[in-house]
Amino acid sequence: MNTEEKKIAVIGIGGVGGYIAGLLAKAYPHVTMVARGARAESIRKKGLVLHSDYKGEIVAKPERVVPIQDMGQQDYIFICVKNYSLAEVCESIRDMVTDDTVIIPVMNGVDPGENIRRLVGKGTVVGLSTMAPPT
């Protein structure tokens, strides 16, 4: 499967997650932004607007904007939430993660990758703990 066919989701469309989601949605056709309420409605209507000194102003329109329970199975999932929301997110996505799903935590906290591995129990989690320690 080529990269254009891959399904990518970003959970947590805040400062960091919004930037990642915006750049991904400009580059790939199958991007799902997980959002709810007024934020989700605004993205559906106007797209996600990024103001970047590096990339300029970007308006990204994702393929889908959904609450987490409607996300569906994905090839890549970026988790960009606050650490206190991690357990709830992992519980919500467990049935949507396959053995081939790659999960990328982009968040603060003590070893979010290891916590995701423990809480979800499948997929490949990319995190600092998967890297060799510096020598």
Side-chain angles (χ1 to χ4, degrees):
M1 180 182 293
N2 71 39
T3 57
E4 296 242 343
E5 296 173 2
K6 296 290 185 177
K7 293 191 289 185
I8 305 168
V10 181
I11 302 170
I13 311 300
V16 172
Y19 188 75
I20 291 169
L23 293 180
L24 287 168
K26 289 300 284 185
Y28 298 96
H30 305 296
V31 173
T32 296
M33 293 184 192
V34 175
R36 58 184 177 215
R39 180 80 166 147
E41 196 56 37
S42 175
I43 295 169
R44 280 188 204 102
K45 286 181 181 175
K46 301 181 237 174
L48 181 68
V49 180
L50 302 177
H51 308 282
S52 167
D53 290 340
Y54 178 64
K55 290 284 189 180
E57 184 160 307
I58 295 171
V59 178
K61 297 204 177 197
E63 181 177 56
R64 300 169 59 226
V65 181
V66 297
I68 198 165
Q69 66 269 18
D70 296 336
M71 182 179 78
Q73 289 186 344
Q74 302 289 317
D75 297 301
Y76 298 92
I77 301 171
F78 288 80
I79 299 178
C80 308
V81 299
K82 302 287 187 205
N83 197 45
Y84 56 78
S85 299
L86 183 60
E88 180 183 349
V89 165
C90 289
E91 177 66 30
S92 297
I93 68 170
R94 187 176 294 123
D95 292 337
M96 299 175 219
V97 174
T98 70
D99 289 337
D100 296 324
T101 303
V102 177
I103 303 170
I104 304 104
V106 184
M107 53 186 294
N108 291 326
V110 177
D111 206 1
E114 188 56 41
N115 287 331
I116 293 168
R117 277 186 205 89
R118 180 178 49 78
L119 293 166
V120 175
K122 55 188 166 181
T124 300
V125 180
V126 178
L128 293 177
S129 62
T130 62
M131 298 169 53
T135 55

Coordinates of all heavy atoms in Angstrom, one line a residue, residues 7-74:
K7 N -4.3 5.7 6.1 CA -5.2 6.4 7.0 C -4.5 6.9 8.2 O -3.9 6.1 8.9 CB -6.4 5.6 7.3 CG -7.3 5.3 6.1 CD -8.6 4.7 6.5 CE -8.4 3.3 7.1 NZ -9.7 2.6 7.4
I8 N -4.5 8.2 8.4 CA -3.8 8.9 9.5 C -4.8 9.6 10.4 O -5.6 10.4 9.9 CB -2.7 9.9 9.0 CG1 -1.8 9.2 8.0 CG2 -2.0 10.5 10.1 CD1 -0.9 10.1 7.2
A9 N -4.7 9.4 11.7 CA -5.6 10.2 12.6 C -4.7 11.0 13.6 O -3.6 10.5 14.0 CB -6.5 9.2 13.4
V10 N -5.2 12.1 14.0 CA -4.5 12.9 15.0 C -5.6 13.2 16.1 O -6.7 13.7 15.8 CB -4.0 14.3 14.5 CG1 -3.3 15.1 15.6 CG2 -3.0 14.1 13.3
I11 N -5.2 12.8 17.3 CA -6.1 12.9 18.4 C -5.5 14.1 19.3 O -4.4 14.0 19.8 CB -6.2 11.6 19.3 CG1 -6.7 10.5 18.4 CG2 -7.1 11.9 20.5 CD1 -6.6 9.1 19.1
G12 N -6.3 15.1 19.5 CA -5.8 16.3 20.3 C -5.4 17.4 19.3 O -4.2 17.6 19.0
I13 N -6.4 18.2 18.9 CA -6.1 19.2 17.9 C -5.9 20.5 18.6 O -6.7 21.5 18.5 CB -7.3 19.3 16.8 CG1 -7.6 17.9 16.3 CG2 -6.9 20.3 15.7 CD1 -6.5 17.2 15.6
G14 N -4.9 20.6 19.4 CA -4.5 21.8 20.1 C -3.3 22.4 19.4 O -3.2 22.3 18.2
G15 N -2.4 23.1 20.1 CA -1.3 23.7 19.5 C -0.4 22.8 18.8 O -0.1 22.9 17.6
V16 N 0.1 21.8 19.4 CA 1.1 20.8 18.7 C 0.3 19.9 17.8 O 0.6 19.7 16.7 CB 1.9 20.0 19.8 CG1 2.7 18.9 19.1 CG2 2.8 20.9 20.6
G17 N -0.8 19.3 18.3 CA -1.6 18.4 17.5 C -2.2 19.0 16.3 O -2.3 18.5 15.2
G18 N -2.6 20.3 16.5 CA -3.2 21.0 15.3 C -2.1 21.3 14.3 O -2.4 21.2 13.1
Y19 N -0.9 21.6 14.7 CA 0.1 21.9 13.7 C 0.4 20.6 12.9 O 0.5 20.6 11.7 CB 1.4 22.4 14.4 CG 2.5 22.8 13.5 CD1 2.4 24.1 12.8 CD2 3.6 22.1 13.2 CE1 3.3 24.5 11.9 CE2 4.6 22.5 12.4 CZ 4.5 23.7 11.7 OH 5.5 24.1 10.9
I20 N 0.6 19.5 13.6 CA 0.9 18.2 13.0 C -0.3 17.8 12.1 O -0.1 17.4 10.9 CB 1.1 17.1 14.1 CG1 2.4 17.3 14.8 CG2 1.1 15.7 13.4 CD1 2.6 16.5 16.0
A21 N -1.5 17.9 12.6 CA -2.7 17.6 11.8 C -2.8 18.5 10.5 O -3.1 18.0 9.4 CB -4.0 17.7 12.6
G22 N -2.5 19.7 10.7 CA -2.6 20.6 9.5 C -1.6 20.3 8.4 O -1.9 20.2 7.2
L23 N -0.4 20.0 8.8 CA 0.7 19.7 7.8 C 0.3 18.3 7.2 O 0.5 18.2 6.0 CB 2.0 19.7 8.5 CG 2.6 21.0 8.9 CD1 4.0 20.9 9.6 CD2 2.6 22.0 7.8
L24 N -0.1 17.4 8.0 CA -0.5 16.1 7.4 C -1.6 16.2 6.4 O -1.6 15.6 5.4 CB -0.8 15.1 8.5 CG 0.4 14.5 9.3 CD1 -0.1 13.8 10.6 CD2 1.3 13.6 8.5
A25 N -2.6 17.0 6.8 CA -3.8 17.1 5.9 C -3.5 17.8 4.6 O -4.2 17.6 3.6 CB -4.9 17.9 6.7
K26 N -2.5 18.6 4.6 CA -2.0 19.3 3.4 C -1.3 18.3 2.5 O -1.3 18.4 1.3 CB -1.1 20.5 3.6 CG -1.9 21.7 4.2 CD -3.0 22.2 3.3 CE -2.5 23.0 2.2 NZ -3.5 23.6 1.4
A27 N -0.7 17.3 3.1 CA 0.2 16.3 2.3 C -0.5 15.0 2.0 O -0.1 14.3 1.0 CB 1.5 16.1 3.1
Y28 N -1.5 14.6 2.8 CA -2.1 13.3 2.6 C -3.6 13.4 2.5 O -4.2 14.2 3.2 CB -1.7 12.3 3.8 CG -0.2 12.1 3.9 CD1 0.6 12.8 4.7 CD2 0.4 11.1 3.1 CE1 1.9 12.6 4.8 CE2 1.8 10.9 3.1 CZ 2.5 11.7 4.0 OH 3.9 11.5 4.0
P29 N -4.2 12.5 1.7 CA -5.7 12.7 1.5 C -6.5 12.1 2.6 O -7.7 12.5 2.8 CB -5.9 11.9 0.2 CG -4.8 10.9 0.1 CD -3.6 11.6 0.8
H30 N -6.0 11.1 3.3 CA -6.9 10.4 4.3 C -6.5 10.7 5.7 O -6.0 9.9 6.5 CB -6.8 8.9 4.1 CG -7.2 8.5 2.7 ND1 -8.4 8.7 2.1 CD2 -6.4 7.9 1.7 CE1 -8.4 8.3 0.9 NE2 -7.3 7.8 0.6
V31 N -6.7 12.0 6.1 CA -6.4 12.4 7.5 C -7.7 12.7 8.2 O -8.6 13.3 7.7 CB -5.5 13.7 7.5 CG1 -5.4 14.3 8.9 CG2 -4.2 13.4 6.8
T32 N -7.8 12.1 9.4 CA -8.9 12.3 10.3 C -8.4 13.1 11.5 O -7.4 12.7 12.1 CB -9.4 10.9 10.8 OG1 -9.9 10.2 9.7 CG2 -10.5 11.1 11.8
M33 N -9.1 14.1 11.8 CA -8.8 14.9 13.0 C -9.9 14.6 14.0 O -11.1 14.6 13.7 CB -8.9 16.4 12.7 CG -7.8 16.9 11.8 SD -7.8 18.7 11.5 CE -6.6 18.8 10.2
V34 N -9.5 14.2 15.2 CA -10.4 13.8 16.3 C -10.6 15.0 17.1 O -9.7 15.5 17.8 CB -9.8 12.6 17.1 CG1 -10.7 12.3 18.3 CG2 -9.6 11.4 16.2
A35 N -11.8 15.5 17.1 CA -12.2 16.7 17.8 C -13.7 16.6 18.1 O -14.4 15.8 17.6 CB -11.9 18.0 17.0
R36 N -14.1 17.5 19.0 CA -15.5 17.5 19.4 C -16.0 18.9 19.6 O -15.2 19.9 19.7 CB -15.8 16.6 20.6 CG -15.0 17.1 21.8 CD -15.1 16.2 23.0 NE -14.2 16.7 24.0 CZ -13.6 16.0 24.9 NH1 -13.7 14.7 24.9 NH2 -12.8 16.6 25.8
G37 N -17.3 19.0 19.7 CA -17.9 20.3 20.0 C -17.6 21.4 19.0 O -17.6 21.2 17.8
A38 N -17.5 22.6 19.6 CA -17.3 23.8 18.7 C -16.0 23.7 17.9 O -16.0 24.2 16.7 CB -17.3 25.1 19.6
R39 N -15.0 23.1 18.4 CA -13.7 23.0 17.7 C -13.9 22.1 16.5 O -13.5 22.5 15.4 CB -12.7 22.3 18.6 CG -11.3 22.1 18.0 CD -10.6 23.4 18.0 NE -9.2 23.1 17.7 CZ -8.4 24.0 17.0 NH1 -8.9 25.1 16.6 NH2 -7.2 23.7 16.7
A40 N -14.6 21.0 16.6 CA -14.9 20.1 15.5 C -15.7 20.8 14.4 O -15.4 20.7 13.2 CB -15.6 18.8 15.9
E41 N -16.7 21.5 14.9 CA -17.6 22.2 13.9 C -16.9 23.3 13.2 O -17.1 23.5 11.9 CB -18.8 22.8 14.7 CG -20.0 23.2 13.8 CD -20.5 22.1 12.9 OE1 -20.5 20.9 13.3 OE2 -20.8 22.4 11.7
S42 N -16.0 24.0 13.8 CA -15.2 25.1 13.2 C -14.3 24.5 12.1 O -14.2 25.0 11.0 CB -14.4 25.8 14.2 OG -13.5 26.7 13.6
I43 N -13.6 23.3 12.4 CA -12.7 22.7 11.5 C -13.5 22.2 10.3 O -13.1 22.3 9.1 CB -11.9 21.6 12.1 CG1 -11.0 22.1 13.2 CG2 -11.1 20.8 11.1 CD1 -10.3 21.1 14.1
R44 N -14.7 21.6 10.5 CA -15.6 21.1 9.4 C -15.9 22.3 8.5 O -15.9 22.1 7.3 CB -16.8 20.5 10.0 CG -16.6 19.1 10.4 CD -18.0 18.4 10.8 NE -17.7 17.3 11.7 CZ -18.0 17.4 13.0 NH1 -18.5 18.5 13.6 NH2 -17.7 16.4 13.8
K45 N -16.3 23.4 9.0 CA -16.8 24.5 8.2 C -15.6 25.3 7.5 O -15.7 25.6 6.4 CB -17.6 25.5 9.1 CG -18.9 25.0 9.5 CD -19.7 26.0 10.3 CE -21.0 25.5 10.7 NZ -21.7 26.4 11.6
K46 N -14.6 25.6 8.3 CA -13.5 26.5 7.8 C -12.2 25.8 7.5 O -11.3 26.5 7.0 CB -13.3 27.6 8.8 CG -14.5 28.5 9.1 CD -14.1 29.5 10.1 CE -15.0 29.5 11.3 NZ -14.6 30.4 12.4
G47 N -12.1 24.6 7.9 CA -10.8 23.9 7.9 C -10.0 24.3 9.1 O -10.4 25.1 9.9
L48 N -8.8 23.8 9.2 CA -7.9 24.1 10.3 C -6.9 25.2 9.8 O -6.2 24.9 8.8 CB -7.1 22.9 10.8 CG -6.2 23.1 11.9 CD1 -7.0 23.4 13.2 CD2 -5.4 21.9 12.2
V49 N -6.9 26.3 10.4 CA -6.1 27.4 9.9 C -4.8 27.5 10.8 O -4.9 27.6 12.0 CB -6.8 28.8 10.0 CG1 -5.9 29.9 9.5 CG2 -8.1 28.7 9.2
L50 N -3.6 27.4 10.2 CA -2.4 27.5 10.9 C -1.7 28.7 10.5 O -1.6 29.1 9.3 CB -1.5 26.3 10.5 CG -2.0 24.9 10.8 CD1 -1.0 23.9 10.3 CD2 -2.3 24.7 12.2
H51 N -1.1 29.4 11.4 CA -0.3 30.6 11.2 C 1.1 30.2 11.6 O 1.4 30.1 12.8 CB -0.8 31.8 12.0 CG -2.3 32.1 11.8 ND1 -2.8 32.7 10.7 CD2 -3.3 31.8 12.6 CE1 -4.1 32.8 10.8 NE2 -4.5 32.2 11.9
S52 N 2.0 30.1 10.7 CA 3.4 29.6 10.9 C 4.4 30.6 10.3 O 4.3 30.9 9.1 CB 3.5 28.2 10.4 OG 4.9 27.8 10.4
D53 N 5.4 31.0 11.1 CA 6.5 31.8 10.5 C 7.3 30.9 9.6 O 7.8 31.4 8.6 CB 7.4 32.3 11.6 CG 6.8 33.4 12.4 OD1 5.8 34.0 11.9 OD2 7.2 33.6 13.6
Y54 N 7.3 29.6 9.8 CA 8.1 28.6 9.0 C 7.3 28.3 7.7 O 8.0 28.2 6.7 CB 8.3 27.4 9.9 CG 9.1 26.3 9.1 CD1 10.4 26.5 8.7 CD2 8.5 25.1 8.9 CE1 11.1 25.5 8.0 CE2 9.2 24.1 8.3 CZ 10.5 24.3 7.8 OH 11.1 23.3 7.2
K55 N 6.1 28.0 7.8 CA 5.3 27.5 6.6 C 4.3 28.5 6.0 O 3.6 28.2 5.1 CB 4.5 26.2 7.0 CG 5.4 25.0 7.2 CD 5.9 24.4 5.9 CE 6.6 23.1 6.1 NZ 7.0 22.5 4.9
G56 N 4.2 29.6 6.7 CA 3.2 30.6 6.2 C 1.8 30.2 6.7 O 1.6 29.4 7.6
E57 N 0.8 30.9 6.2 CA -0.6 30.5 6.6 C -1.1 29.3 5.8 O -0.9 29.3 4.6 CB -1.5 31.7 6.4 CG -2.9 31.4 6.9 CD -3.7 32.6 7.2 OE1 -3.3 33.5 7.9 OE2 -4.9 32.7 6.7
I58 N -1.6 28.4 6.5 CA -2.1 27.1 5.9 C -3.5 26.9 6.3 O -3.9 27.1 7.5 CB -1.2 25.9 6.3 CG1 0.2 26.0 5.9 CG2 -1.9 24.6 5.9 CD1 1.1 25.0 6.5
V59 N -4.4 26.6 5.3 CA -5.7 26.2 5.6 C -5.8 24.7 5.2 O -5.7 24.4 4.0 CB -6.8 27.0 4.9 CG1 -8.2 26.5 5.2 CG2 -6.7 28.5 5.3
A60 N -6.0 23.8 6.2 CA -6.0 22.4 5.9 C -7.4 21.9 6.1 O -8.1 22.2 7.1 CB -5.1 21.6 6.8
K61 N -7.9 21.1 5.1 CA -9.3 20.5 5.2 C -9.1 19.0 5.3 O -8.8 18.4 4.3 CB -10.1 21.0 4.1 CG -10.3 22.5 4.1 CD -11.5 22.9 3.4 CE -11.6 24.4 3.5 NZ -12.9 24.9 3.3
P62 N -9.3 18.4 6.5 CA -9.1 17.0 6.6 C -10.2 16.2 5.9 O -11.3 16.8 5.7 CB -9.1 16.8 8.1 CG -10.0 17.9 8.6 CD -9.7 19.1 7.7
E63 N -10.0 15.0 5.6 CA -11.0 14.2 5.0 C -12.2 14.0 6.0 O -13.3 14.0 5.6 CB -10.4 12.8 4.7 CG -11.4 11.8 4.1 CD -10.8 10.5 3.7 OE1 -10.2 9.8 4.5 OE2 -10.9 10.2 2.5
R64 N -11.9 13.9 7.3 CA -12.9 13.7 8.3 C -12.5 14.4 9.6 O -11.4 14.5 10.0 CB -13.0 12.2 8.7 CG -13.4 11.3 7.5 CD -13.3 9.8 7.7 NE -14.1 9.4 8.8 CZ -13.7 8.6 9.8 NH1 -12.5 8.1 9.9 NH2 -14.5 8.2 10.8
V65 N -13.6 14.9 10.3 CA -13.4 15.5 11.6 C -14.5 14.8 12.5 O -15.7 14.9 12.2 CB -13.7 17.0 11.7 CG1 -13.5 17.5 13.1 CG2 -12.7 17.7 10.7
V66 N -14.1 14.0 13.4 CA -15.0 13.1 14.2 C -14.7 13.0 15.6 O -13.5 13.3 16.0 CB -15.0 11.6 13.6 CG1 -15.4 11.6 12.1 CG2 -13.6 11.0 13.7
P67 N -15.6 12.7 16.5 CA -15.3 12.3 17.9 C -14.6 11.0 17.9 O -14.6 10.2 16.9 CB -16.7 12.2 18.5 CG -17.7 12.0 17.4 CD -17.1 12.6 16.2
I68 N -13.9 10.8 18.9 CA -13.0 9.6 19.0 C -13.7 8.3 18.7 O -13.1 7.4 18.1 CB -12.2 9.6 20.3 CG1 -10.9 8.7 20.2 CG2 -13.0 9.2 21.5 CD1 -9.9 8.9 21.3
Q69 N -14.9 8.1 19.2 CA -15.6 6.9 19.0 C -15.9 6.6 17.5 O -16.2 5.4 17.2 CB -16.9 6.8 19.9 CG -18.0 7.8 19.5 CD -17.9 9.1 20.3 OE1 -16.8 9.4 20.8 NE2 -19.0 9.8 20.2
D70 N -15.9 7.6 16.7 CA -16.1 7.4 15.3 C -14.9 7.4 14.4 O -15.0 7.4 13.2 CB -17.1 8.5 14.8 CG -18.4 8.5 15.4 OD1 -18.8 7.4 15.9 OD2 -19.1 9.5 15.5
M71 N -13.7 7.3 15.0 CA -12.5 7.4 14.3 C -12.2 6.2 13.4 O -11.8 6.4 12.2 CB -11.3 7.5 15.3 CG -9.9 7.7 14.7 SD -8.6 7.8 15.9 CE -8.5 6.1 16.4
G72 N -12.6 5.0 13.8 CA -12.3 3.9 13.0 C -10.9 3.4 13.0 O -10.0 4.1 13.6
Q73 N -10.6 2.3 12.3 CA -9.2 1.8 12.3 C -8.4 2.7 11.4 O -8.8 3.3 10.4 CB -9.2 0.4 11.7 CG -9.8 -0.6 12.6 CD -9.6 -2.0 12.1 OE1 -9.4 -2.3 11.0 NE2 -9.8 -3.0 13.0
Q74 N -7.1 2.9 11.9 CA -6.2 3.8 11.2 C -4.9 3.1 11.0 O -4.5 2.1 11.8 CB -6.0 5.0 12.1 CG -7.2 5.8 12.4 CD -7.8 6.5 11.1 OE1 -7.0 7.1 10.4 NE2 -9.1 6.5 11.0

